[in-house]
Amino acid sequence: MSIRTIARLGALPAATAAIALSLAAPAGAHVSATVSDASAGAYTIATFSVPHGCEGSPTTKVEIQVPESVLSVTPTRNPFYDVETTTAQLDEPVADGHGNEVTERTASVVYTATTPLPDGQRDTFELSFQVPDAAGETLAWPTIQTCREGETGWTQVPADGQDEDELEAPAPSFEVLPAAEGTGHDDATAGTADDTTAEADDAAEAAGAAGSADAAADDEDGTSALGWAGLVAGLAGLAAGGLALARTRRS
Ligand SMILES: [Cu+2]
């Protein structure tokens, strides 16, 4: 049997595997959520993406239900939608991380399209909040996608040991990671919506300012070192020039 036949035979399983994988890809293209930071106590931004309509029909509304352990959420506006949040009363008032008593929580965020999202195009919705102190827990965000025709409830949560990919309409979710050093972990409770965004923005700003201060310092060091080098080079050049001049004069 020639090498070429063996190679050709070898390629077959690989080809079928590739086809199988590509067939499986649509599962990943469901309504899903990714977070900028999943660690307990962190101020984070979750991005919900809607990659297709309801069996071809354009999306007219997206309602994202907030898990009970997340107290307040700030939605990012989207020019193609009107956005509103609904709230629910808490059984017991809780203290937020800033000494305030909180008696209600954000229950859902509703994006109603002013221009329906055509099937075949995707859109994203960003929510800002503090990750609850629940390392190891999976936070599910049941999401109702309403379309011109029909509706899809992305609300299924896998049973213990079940793979999410087996579900037809899994709820967007992410697992809370252990608290990172220095996050608002010890606050244990989510800050108020405004605080949350302010904190998230502060964190981003602080990172930016630190960067520019360092850059300036580098710059300064860099320029002075450069300046010195230039000066020395200049002086050396001067000396060399002087020497050459003296030599020509003598001869
Ligand atoms: Cu899908």
Side-chain angles (χ1 to χ4, degrees):
M1 192 184 291
S2 74
I3 299 287
R4 192 173 288 168
T5 329
I6 294 169
R8 221 179 269 136
L9 284 177
L12 208 57
T16 37
I19 292 167
L21 267 178
S22 64
L23 285 174
H30 287 338
V31 172
S32 61
T34 53
V35 279
S36 56
D37 186 344
S39 49
Y43 294 97
T44 196
I45 293 183
T47 302
F48 292 79
S49 62
V50 174
H52 55 70
C54 311
E55 289 169 14
S57 178
T59 302
T60 55
K61 190 166 76 168
V62 176
E63 178 191 335
I64 302 167
Q65 294 165 6
V66 179
E68 288 197 12
S69 54
V70 175
L71 277 183
S72 61
V73 167
T74 304
T76 304
R77 66 180 184 171
N78 181 316
F80 297 97
Y81 304 80
D82 294 327
V83 56
E84 57 178 334
T85 55
T86 68
T87 57
Q89 283 297 322
L90 293 169
D91 300 337
E92 300 279 326
V94 296
D96 70 4
H98 309 276
N100 312 315
E101 276 256 310
V102 177
T103 57
E104 57 181 25
R105 67 181 184 88
T106 309
S108 71
V109 180
V110 184
Y111 286 88
T112 306
T114 46
T115 324
L117 171 66
D119 184 51
Q121 292 181 18
R122 66 185 290 273
D123 213 338
T124 58
F125 307 94
E126 291 185 347
L127 304 183
S128 157
F129 56 94
Q130 185 179 22
V131 180
D133 186 22
E137 259 181 56
T138 295
L139 291 186
W141 303 68
T143 299
I144 313 297
Q145 177 185 16
T146 308
C147 294
R148 207 171 264 151
E149 283 162 41
E151 177 178 283
T152 308
W154 302 97
T155 58
Q156 297 169 331
V157 176
D160 280 351
Q162 187 182 20
D163 189 340
E164 189 187 276
D165 289 344
E166 291 167 30
L167 301 173
E168 217 172 292
S173 63
F174 69 91
E175 186 184 334
V176 177
L177 301 176
E181 285 299 311
T183 58
H185 176 58
D186 47 9
D187 295 346
T189 55
T192 58
D194 299 343
D195 296 341
T196 316
T197 358
E199 304 255 354
D201 292 346
D202 289 351
E205 214 170 283
S212 53
D214 291 350
D218 288 352
D219 253 1
E220 212 172 284
D221 292 348
T223 27
S224 57
L226 211 63
W228 280 113
L231 190 65
V232 171
L235 285 175
L238 209 63
L243 265 179
L245 191 61
R247 220 178 268 133
T248 47
R249 280 235 179 105
R250 214 175 303 131
S251 61

